[in-house]
Amino acid sequence: MQSVGVEFVGKDQLRFGPLELQPAADRVRVDTTCTLISTGTETIALTRNFSPGTIWHDWVTYPFRPGYCAVGRLLDDAPEANARAGDRVMAFGPHMKPTVASAARVFPLTDDVADEEAAWLTMAVIAMHGYRQGDVRLGETVVVVGLGMLGQLVVQYARTSGAATIIAVDTAPARLELASRHGATHTLELPVDQAREPIEQITGGELAHVVFDMTGAAPVQAHCHHLLRHFGRLVLIGDTGTPERQGLSSAFMLKNLRIIGAHQLGAAHEPYWKHRQLGELFLTLLTQGRLNVRDLITHRYPAAQAGEAYDMLLTRRGDAMGVILDFNDV
């Protein structure tokens, strides 16, 4: 079956055009209306900004079909998801029309969830799995370093779960303004290596119970150690492509810190909070008005102009947050 969509054909090489659709017994087709670009993951894959021997190196082989945030009408029954052909769904499928996805990773949508909001579900699952690993407790102080797509969601989860102080750290003013609008109690427009003193002032010298490193930038981790109080927790949600460049600071041992890795694939091994439960919780919080992703959408492109969307992300990343590819006219 013929499809059309985005394909990375080599390092820094992208094409939009016809693609062969390859259905399988455990996969279903979705007539795509829109997709959301996972800006960090997909630009790393396109620019091949990762080291040999990493999970990235094993995963990204060209030609590579990016994307896992698709919304549209189901073309096949998906009994595993209690969904039938014709239902409007969110699927973990690439930027294609029609796209294909695991039947188990399809989520039926209600009329009160817009397509562009539903497209955030995968990002919400990644951020929610990572946030749960931090075990944030009522009244604690949380620092979020890196206010991209996942960082914005973590700020909202911290607000929803009762963190008393939520400090957002980034160098992009527009990102900090969004974080402030959605729950950050304090924003710091500066690099992470300059954040300790202002965080000491905000917390009366106590520093943070939990720091979330959302950046995926290898040097950031060690700087985050200095933002934590004794016995603090550092959660790495941003997955660096160069883990060999990450290191420990002297504060790691001195403060008895815990470093927690939080890759979304780990949700498959949770006793209860697996991908489906996390995705359904996101949709519940969205319909209850306790999460807001509509405000996080900054750019929309016709799918055929995907090349322009990625060029923008590579040259003006700080100006962008949620980037939608519209497949309605394809």
Side-chain angles (χ1 to χ4, degrees):
M1 181 177 180
Q2 199 71 18
S3 180
V4 63
V6 179
E7 190 170 60
F8 298 166
V9 294
K11 182 180 183 297
D12 299 319
Q13 299 177 50
L14 175 152
R15 64 177 289 271
F16 181 88
L19 299 171
E20 190 64 32
L21 198 65
Q22 299 172 335
D26 62 341
R27 301 177 77 77
V28 293
R29 299 166 300 156
V30 177
D31 188 21
T32 315
T33 56
C34 70
T35 62
L36 177 73
I37 295 177
S38 177
T39 54
T41 297
E42 295 182 38
T43 53
I44 288 174
L46 178 58
T47 60
R48 208 164 183 81
N49 186 21
F50 50 80
S51 300
T54 61
I55 188 174
W56 295 91
H57 185 265
D58 296 335
W59 179 43
V60 181
T61 58
Y62 305 119
F64 178 77
R65 296 179 180 180
Y68 38 68
C69 309
V71 176
R73 294 280 177 181
L74 200 56
L75 295 175
D76 307 294
D77 290 341
E80 301 93 329
N82 196 28
R84 302 179 63 180
D87 288 350
R88 195 167 64 95
V89 298
M90 184 279 159
F92 282 46
H95 303 297
M96 298 166 55
K97 180 177 182 175
T99 193
V100 291
S102 166
R105 303 286 285 276
V106 165
F107 292 81
L109 301 174
T110 56
D111 292 341
D112 51 358
V113 177
D115 284 7
E116 290 186 353
E117 294 175 311
W120 283 80
L121 186 145
T122 307
M123 306 305 296
V125 165
I126 294 169
M128 197 180 297
H129 171 70
Y131 185 75
R132 286 181 51 79
Q133 305 317 302
D135 191 26
V136 178
R137 298 157 195 171
L138 194 67
E140 288 192 323
T141 295
V142 169
V143 173
V144 183
V145 179
L147 278 300
M149 299 170 74
L150 296 176
Q152 298 290 340
L153 290 165
V154 165
V155 166
Q156 296 194 43
Y157 295 152
R159 177 201 62 198
T160 301
S161 68
T165 304
I166 305 168
I167 304 170
V169 181
D170 203 297
T171 57
R175 293 183 172 193
L176 292 167
E177 193 279 328
L178 277 173
S180 180
R181 191 190 313 170
H182 293 136
T185 60
H186 301 78
T187 58
L188 299 177
E189 184 186 340
L190 40 71
V192 65
D193 61 353
Q194 299 176 24
R196 176 175 177 166
E197 184 174 339
I199 291 174
E200 283 184 328
Q201 294 173 356
I202 292 167
T203 61
E206 294 293 330
L207 298 174
H209 295 90
V210 188
V211 173
F212 291 93
D213 176 5
M214 315 300 302
T215 67
V220 169
Q221 186 214 137
H223 294 301
C224 288
H225 300 170
H226 300 288
L227 312 182
L228 285 159
R229 61 182 66 193
H230 286 268
F231 299 96
R233 289 102 69 194
L234 171 60
V235 184
L236 307 180
I237 298 182
D239 184 14
T240 180
T242 55
E244 72 280 1
R245 291 171 50 202
Q246 287 182 319
L248 301 178
S249 74
S250 59
F252 172 69
M253 290 293 290
L254 180 64
K255 293 184 175 182
N256 295 269
L257 303 180
R258 281 183 284 163
I259 300 177
I260 304 164
H263 196 285
Q264 62 96 8
L265 292 178
H269 304 285
E270 284 274 3
Y272 176 75
W273 289 105
K274 302 181 187 298
H275 292 97
R276 177 149 305 280
Q277 287 74 26
L278 294 172
E280 290 173 350
L281 177 58
F282 164 70
L283 293 173
T284 296
L285 295 174
L286 196 64
T287 56
Q288 291 176 348
R290 297 165 68 187
L291 291 178
N292 183 333
V293 295
R294 185 179 294 274
D295 287 357
L296 301 180
I297 299 170
T298 57
H299 294 76
R300 296 172 176 84
Y301 289 86
Q305 295 177 18
E308 296 179 23
Y310 287 96
D311 285 344
M312 180 274 298
L313 288 171
L314 292 174
T315 57
R316 295 183 287 114
R317 177 81 174 276
D319 297 337
M321 189 61 62
V323 180
I324 293 287
L325 297 180
D326 186 340
F327 280 83
N328 283 293
D329 293 331
V330 172

